[in-house]
């Protein structure tokens, strides 16, 4: 459900339009003007509570050409202060310098949501209301480019990108948001999350995104294939195939090629796993009395292998100086309990060795 409320009369000259709306909205507004004269405004422009235009630039331009002084508007609440500020910037150079890449990506996501809500209102206007619905739909389609998403998701992303960066930077912003998702994903390998987090810090400083994005995606895909090769629960054909895929990928050098081929390899492994999972499994104790115990050991070693070497990747001095109290307690407990676990395991191992002598 689209949020906001309708205001029946808003002075058009009081609606603030930023740099992304200072271009000529369309060299041909005749059809949209004709639609407004025949059936009125079906989907009012959307503005923030401070009167900053979000969507509806062509509609406003057509109304101004017709000499209208007021328009109904859809007022959208809870738009972030930062996004309101960006939408109101009237100089493109200022717009390009106003935000760091991470801020741009966050506002891009927020603005895409606002455009999706505008699309919902526009869709509702074509499905409900007067008997001349077909004529209204046709008129609306003729004037479709007045707001995002005018004819699909791609144009919605394009306009959202231009609104926050002053250019069509949707690919870059989508890549940044994918890196943000990876860095925050609990189900990702810790090493992969760390790579994504470091990439975000670096690109936020120098604005270089694509190379870092490709690197992290390659690391993510290869980690997934490696997990399949070492997964104690995976069928043997899956583990063998994953090992072979890794050997093939090691010969590749170009990051874009590694990302593409490793993605295809993951898809093949998923298909192989799905087909292998349909076969009937033999019980735990049917083949080996210690199979369950060995399975648990493999799971433990697999987990530790993924995090192995973390002590070389982090600075203990930085951790000691800057870790929060809960972070310190977590690491201290982890290491202390790991030491206690190892002592008990060593005792059991020595007892087993003595019994075998």
């Amino acid at each position: 459900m689209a949020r906001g409320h309708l205001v029946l009369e808003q002075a058009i000259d009081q609606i603030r339009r930023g740099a992304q709306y200072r271009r000529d909205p369309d060299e041909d507004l005749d059809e949209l003007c004709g639609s407004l004269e025949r059936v009125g405004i079906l989907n009012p422009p959307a503005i923030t509570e401070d009167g900053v235009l979000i969507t509806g630039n062509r509609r406003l331009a057509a109304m101004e050409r017709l000499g209208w002084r007021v328009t109904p508007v859809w007022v959208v609440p809870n738009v972030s202060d930062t996004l309101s500020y960006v939408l109101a910037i009237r100089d493109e150079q200022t717009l390009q310098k106003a935000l760091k890449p991470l801020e741009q990506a966050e506002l891009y996501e927020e603005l895409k949501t606002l455009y999706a809500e505008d699309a919902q209102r526009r869709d509702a206007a074509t499905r409900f209301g007067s008997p001349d619905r077909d004529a209204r739909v046709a008129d609306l389609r003729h004037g479709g480019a007045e707001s995002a998403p005018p004819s699909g998701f791609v144009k919605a992303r394009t306009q959202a990108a231009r609104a926050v960066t002053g250019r069509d930077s949707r690919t870059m912003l989508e890549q940044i948001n994918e890196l943000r998702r990876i860095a925050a994903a609990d189900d990702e390998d810790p090493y992969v999350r760390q790579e994504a987090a470091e990439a975000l810090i670096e690109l936020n400083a120098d604005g270089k995104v694509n190379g870092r994005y490709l690197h992290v995606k390659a690391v993510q895909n290869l980690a997934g294939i490696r997990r399949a090769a070492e997964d104690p629960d995976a069928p043997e054909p899956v583990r063998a195939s994953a090992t072979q895929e890794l050997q093939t990928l090691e010969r590749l050098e170009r990051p874009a090629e590694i990302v593409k081929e490793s993605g295809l390899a993951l898809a093949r492994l998923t298909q192989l796993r799905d087909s292998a999972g349909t076969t009937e499994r033999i019980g735990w104790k049917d083949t080996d009395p210690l199979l369950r115990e060995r399975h648990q050991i493999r799971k433990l070693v697999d987990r530790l292998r993924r995090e192995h070497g973390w002590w070389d990747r982090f600075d203990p001095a930085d951790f000691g100086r800057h870790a929060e109290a809960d972070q310190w307690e977590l690491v201290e407990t982890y290491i202390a309990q790991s030491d206690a676990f190892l002592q008990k395991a060593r005792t059991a191992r020595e007892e087993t060795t003595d019994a075998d002598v």
Side-chain angles (χ1 to χ4, degrees), residues 198-273:
E198 292 178 359
L200 288 169
I201 293 172
E202 293 169 356
L203 70 83
N204 203 43
D206 61 20
K208 298 178 180 178
V209 178
N210 188 60
R212 294 188 174 101
Y213 168 80
L214 291 175
H215 169 73
V216 172
K217 290 298 291 184
V219 169
Q220 180 191 38
N221 289 349
L222 291 172
I225 298 171
R226 197 170 293 112
R227 283 197 301 271
E230 300 168 354
D231 184 2
D233 291 329
E236 182 57 35
V238 174
R239 294 200 298 269
S241 179
T243 300
Q244 185 176 5
E245 295 281 10
L246 287 172
Q247 293 172 350
T248 301
L249 292 168
E250 285 177 356
R251 295 193 288 268
L252 303 180
E253 296 182 358
R254 293 174 51 247
E257 186 178 10
I258 295 173
V259 172
K260 177 183 176 181
E261 294 302 325
S262 60
L264 293 173
L266 279 174
R268 289 191 291 269
L269 290 172
T270 299
Q271 185 177 15
L272 181 60
R273 184 191 292 269

Side-chain angles (χ1 to χ4, degrees), residues 21-22 148 174 323:
Y21 295 127
R22 291 178 65 80
E174 292 286 347

Side-chain angles (χ1 to χ4, degrees), residues 128-178:
F128 306 106
S130 67
D132 59 344
R133 172 185 173 279
D134 291 341
R136 287 177 174 238
V137 172
D139 286 328
L140 190 62
R141 286 175 178 168
H142 285 313
E146 88 268 20
S147 64
S151 61
F153 181 60
V154 173
K155 288 188 177 180
R157 295 193 307 167
T158 300
Q159 187 167 347
R162 284 176 175 162
V164 298
T165 66
R167 56 193 175 87
D168 183 3
S169 54
R170 64 185 186 274
T171 299
M172 178 194 76
L173 296 172
E174 292 286 347
Q175 289 178 342
I176 294 174
N177 283 325
E178 171 65 4

Side-chain angles (χ1 to χ4, degrees), residues 41-336:
I41 181 72
L42 298 179
N43 182 33
I47 64 173
T48 69
E49 292 175 303
D50 295 329
V52 178
L53 182 66
I54 300 174
T55 62
N57 188 43
R58 289 190 72 249
R59 282 165 276 181
L60 286 181
M63 285 185 273
E64 288 174 327
R65 179 179 291 187
L66 293 172
W68 295 11
R69 295 187 177 182
V70 296
T71 177
V73 293
W74 189 266
V75 180
V76 181
N78 302 324
V79 175
S80 68
D81 292 340
T82 306
L83 181 56
S84 294
Y85 164 71
V86 168
L87 291 174
I89 292 176
R90 301 184 65 84
D91 177 71
E92 290 195 18
Q93 290 185 345
T94 303
L95 178 64
Q96 293 172 8
K97 297 177 182 178
L99 302 167
K100 290 286 190 178
L102 286 182
E103 295 172 315
Q104 292 174 340
E106 291 173 2
L107 295 182
Y108 169 73
E109 284 298 305
E110 181 181 2
L111 198 50
K112 281 199 302 181
T113 300
L114 294 176
Y115 289 159
E117 292 173 358
D118 185 74
Q120 291 175 0
R121 293 191 295 270
R122 186 170 61 252
D123 182 61
T126 65
R127 284 187 292 151
F128 306 106
S130 67
D132 59 344
R133 172 185 173 279
D134 291 341
R136 287 177 174 238
V137 172
D139 286 328
L140 190 62
R141 286 175 178 168
H142 285 313
E146 88 268 20
S147 64
S151 61
F153 181 60
V154 173
K155 288 188 177 180
R157 295 193 307 167
T158 300
Q159 187 167 347
R162 284 176 175 162
V164 298
T165 66
R167 56 193 175 87
D168 183 3
S169 54
R170 64 185 186 274
T171 299
M172 178 194 76
L173 296 172
E174 292 286 347
Q175 289 178 342
I176 294 174
N177 283 325
E178 171 65 4
L179 291 176
R180 291 172 59 210
R181 187 200 64 76
I182 294 172
D186 292 334
D187 58 346
E188 285 287 357
D189 187 294
Y191 175 69
V192 177
R193 296 202 306 268
Q194 181 67 22
E195 289 288 313
E198 292 178 359
L200 288 169
I201 293 172
E202 293 169 356
L203 70 83
N204 203 43
D206 61 20
K208 298 178 180 178
V209 178
N210 188 60
R212 294 188 174 101
Y213 168 80
L214 291 175
H215 169 73
V216 172
K217 290 298 291 184
V219 169
Q220 180 191 38
N221 289 349
L222 291 172
I225 298 171
R226 197 170 293 112
R227 283 197 301 271
E230 300 168 354
D231 184 2
D233 291 329
E236 182 57 35
V238 174
R239 294 200 298 269
S241 179
T243 300
Q244 185 176 5
E245 295 281 10
L246 287 172
Q247 293 172 350
T248 301
L249 292 168
E250 285 177 356
R251 295 193 288 268
L252 303 180
E253 296 182 358
R254 293 174 51 247
E257 186 178 10
I258 295 173
V259 172
K260 177 183 176 181
E261 294 302 325
S262 60
L264 293 173
L266 279 174
R268 289 191 291 269
L269 290 172
T270 299
Q271 185 177 15
L272 181 60
R273 184 191 292 269
D274 291 343
S275 62
T278 59
T279 60
E280 183 178 355
R281 293 190 176 185
I282 300 175
W284 282 105
K285 302 296 185 177
D286 293 342
T287 58
D288 185 349
L290 296 177
L291 186 60
R292 183 182 296 276
E293 290 80 0
R294 291 193 173 106
H295 169 76
Q296 293 298 323
I297 292 171
R298 288 180 64 180
K299 288 183 67 175
L300 172 62
V301 173
D302 179 59
R303 179 184 295 272
L304 294 178
R305 183 181 289 113
R306 292 201 301 269
E307 300 184 8
H308 188 75
W310 61 265
W311 48 84
D312 292 326
R313 297 197 296 269
F314 301 95
D315 188 337
D318 286 344
F319 180 77
R321 295 189 189 101
H322 307 300
E324 302 289 343
D326 59 333
Q327 295 172 330
W328 178 270
E329 182 181 4
L330 175 66
V331 173
E332 189 174 42
T333 301
Y334 180 93
I335 294 176

